[in-house]
Amino acid sequence: ISDARSGGYRLISLTDGYLIVALAEYSENLYITVFTGVSLLASALTFLLMLVRYIGMVIERIKRFASDVTIVSELDMNYEIVSEGSDELASLSGNVENMRRTMLQHIESEKEARATNSELITSISHDIRTPLTVLMGYIEMMREHQPDEVMQGYIDATESTAMRLRQLSDDMFKYLLAFGDT
């Protein structure tokens, strides 16, 4: 019993014996528990607010990127897609911008090729038609001199070949007119 009293325990006398009781106050535990709970709740709310803000910013960037891609695909191939940041979305928008530039370069190359093709067909058509007209004139002059039967066969064969060349030249020019400006 004397050891119990020296350790802060109290002796309570009962009718059937003694009871050793230790009384301790833990009122600061309530404050610590409340403070810990409030801190955890505040931390969770702060994290949640930061997460919602970050997700909102990412969604805004995605909407802007989708709008830029829509403008490029439907309205204006010269509209530049700007990539911000260094994340996957920025990488994606940068790649789409590179693809847009490459497509513009291909379109420009195709326009140049069409223009060159148009010039070539016009030049070939002109270079064929000029001597062909002269040849047709000579054929007409030879017919007027009443050639013999063998010479008439040569004249007919020459005229047939000249007419076929004229038709090919006409077809080539029609093709240029029909498909050259697309």
Side-chain angles (χ1 to χ4, degrees):
I1 293 177
S2 65
D3 288 339
R5 286 188 181 176
S6 67
Y9 296 99
R10 303 281 180 232
L11 183 64
I12 298 176
S13 174
L14 300 173
T15 55
D16 60 348
Y18 293 98
L19 180 65
I20 299 174
V21 177
L23 297 176
E25 178 193 9
Y26 293 106
S27 61
E28 71 271 358
N29 280 351
L30 175 65
Y31 296 124
I32 291 172
T33 304
V34 169
F35 181 74
T36 302
V38 169
S39 296
L40 286 174
L41 183 63
S43 298
L45 285 175
T46 302
F47 175 74
L48 188 62
L49 288 174
M50 288 172 50
L51 185 64
V52 166
R53 179 169 164 79
Y54 176 74
I55 290 172
M57 289 172 25
V58 170
I59 288 173
E60 279 300 314
R61 287 179 59 209
I62 290 171
K63 285 180 181 178
R64 189 175 32 228
F65 175 64
S67 172
D68 289 350
V69 169
T70 301
I71 289 171
V72 168
S73 69
E74 294 177 358
L75 302 173
D76 184 12
M77 276 294 287
N78 293 317
Y79 184 81
E80 185 176 351
I81 297 174
V82 178
S83 60
E84 304 167 345
S86 60
D87 58 355
E88 291 83 5
L89 187 59
S91 174
L92 177 65
S93 61
N95 289 338
V96 171
E97 173 62 19
N98 289 339
M99 186 171 57
R100 181 193 69 84
R101 287 183 189 148
T102 303
M103 286 178 66
L104 284 176
Q105 289 172 351
H106 287 326
I107 289 170
E108 189 61 34
S109 296
E110 186 177 330
K111 282 180 184 178
E112 290 174 7
R114 285 182 188 270
T116 303
N117 189 32
S118 175
E119 289 174 18
L120 177 67
I121 290 175
T122 302
S123 177
I124 289 173
S125 178
H126 181 266
D127 289 349
I128 290 173
R129 283 201 160 251
T130 301
L132 200 55
T133 303
V134 172
L135 182 63
M136 292 300 285
Y138 289 150
I139 290 172
E140 284 299 316
M141 286 174 28
M142 285 192 286
R143 280 192 196 278
E144 289 177 4
H145 292 302
Q146 301 188 351
D148 62 6
E149 200 170 300
V150 173
M151 189 59 85
Q152 184 63 41
Y154 290 145
I155 292 172
D156 290 343
T158 305
E159 183 179 32
S160 173
T161 302
M163 294 303 280
R164 193 173 52 193
L165 278 173
R166 177 179 276 174
Q167 185 61 43
L168 287 172
S169 175
D170 289 345
D171 290 346
M172 191 169 45
F173 200 69
K174 285 177 190 175
Y175 174 81
L176 171 68
L177 292 176
F179 299 107
D181 294 332
T182 56

